[in-house]
Amino acid sequence: MNFLAHIYLSGDDELIRIGNFMADGIKGSQYKNFPTDIQIGILLHREIDTFTDSHPIVRQSTKRLHPNYSHYSSVIVDILYDHFLARNWTRYSDTPLSVFVDDFYDSLTNNGELLTSRIKHLTPYMIADNWLLSYAKIEGIQRVLNGMNRRTNHKSGMHTATYELKLYYTEFETEFTEFFEELRAFSNNKLHQLQQQYYPSP
């Protein structure tokens, strides 16, 4: 899953959200260098990624893209799924998406000393262009894919994937909706387990 889904699946604790958000740049046991709730977020992120990568519905979405994008297909599906989460946000949250993302941006700004150097560099651009809110529109997804294509030195061709998004919009949305219900249940359970592990009941 991409940024918005990882943040959403972290519950209400802002440090767990931050840990989940920045987990990709934290390798191996480096997570132990962070405060407990950020550790929980990092470990939750890893569990979500493992669940997602092995799920047959996600593989079905990925297979549709594979002829044109090869091993970049899974990255594209992560981004497309964030689009459907943002577009259908009111199905999953009573908090307006604009409020949710502004609160998260505030969390990043207020906890700058806990962020990795990569996230410190990324955050101003993310806030200025309001990445998380922009996912709700295809134009926003196009900007994300353009940026990802540049980061692969234009080798991935990811900037063209909005063609498949539009062509197979119903199929992708149906797959996302079915998968995300399972992912929400999995993540809630895993988050509870991690919190119990770090904060055992007396």
Side-chain angles (χ1 to χ4, degrees):
M1 303 305 289
N2 203 46
F3 290 146
L4 183 61
H6 275 293
I7 298 162
Y8 169 80
L9 293 167
S10 299
D12 296 328
D13 186 291
E14 69 172 355
L15 294 187
I16 294 177
R17 286 178 177 175
I18 289 172
N20 200 338
F21 169 67
M22 67 181 187
D24 275 335
I26 299 165
K27 306 304 181 185
S29 61
Q30 292 175 354
Y31 74 93
K32 295 179 180 179
N33 298 327
F34 293 89
T36 299
D37 285 335
I38 288 186
Q39 292 186 37
I40 291 173
I42 295 167
L43 294 175
L44 178 62
H45 180 109
R46 294 176 181 180
E47 294 283 355
I48 289 170
D49 279 357
T50 298
F51 182 84
T52 300
D53 291 344
S54 62
H55 200 284
I57 294 176
V58 178
R59 289 184 174 180
Q60 186 174 327
S61 293
T62 303
K63 185 177 181 180
R64 191 175 294 116
L65 297 171
H66 202 268
N68 290 332
Y69 305 102
S70 186
H71 61 282
Y72 296 108
S73 299
S74 60
V75 178
I76 296 170
V77 168
D78 285 346
I79 295 167
L80 301 190
Y81 278 13
D82 254 14
H83 167 67
F84 292 112
L85 174 57
R87 183 176 181 271
N88 298 292
W89 183 259
T90 55
R91 181 182 299 174
Y92 304 108
S93 177
D94 294 328
T95 303
L97 180 58
S98 59
V99 174
F100 180 87
V101 300
D102 282 346
D103 286 347
F104 182 68
Y105 295 153
D106 287 344
S107 293
L108 293 178
T109 301
N110 295 335
N111 293 280
E113 75 283 357
L114 299 176
L115 305 181
T116 62
S117 57
R118 171 178 171 268
I119 296 301
K120 286 179 182 177
H121 174 75
L122 176 149
T123 296
Y125 300 99
M126 182 182 196
I127 295 174
D129 292 334
N130 206 351
W131 291 0
L132 298 177
L133 191 62
S134 75
Y135 292 162
K137 296 183 178 180
I138 291 179
E139 294 86 350
I141 296 300
Q142 183 66 65
R143 286 193 293 272
V144 174
L145 292 170
N146 289 345
M148 296 295 290
N149 185 55
R150 286 194 298 272
R151 283 192 283 278
T152 66
N153 293 319
H154 305 281
K155 295 176 182 177
S156 66
M158 292 168 67
H159 62 294
T160 67
T162 49
Y163 170 79
E164 283 85 0
L165 172 60
K166 295 173 183 176
L167 184 63
Y168 301 108
Y169 199 89
T170 301
E171 292 88 340
F172 281 124
E173 185 167 28
T174 299
E175 288 158 2
F176 163 79
T177 302
E178 184 178 350
F179 166 68
F180 201 63
E181 286 304 311
E182 294 187 34
L183 180 60
R184 288 173 73 196
F186 170 84
S187 299
N188 287 339
N189 183 58
K190 190 59 64 175
L191 176 57
H192 178 71
Q193 289 178 9
L194 288 166
Q195 289 173 319
Q196 288 294 308
Q197 176 184 331
Y198 277 86
Y199 300 111
S201 302

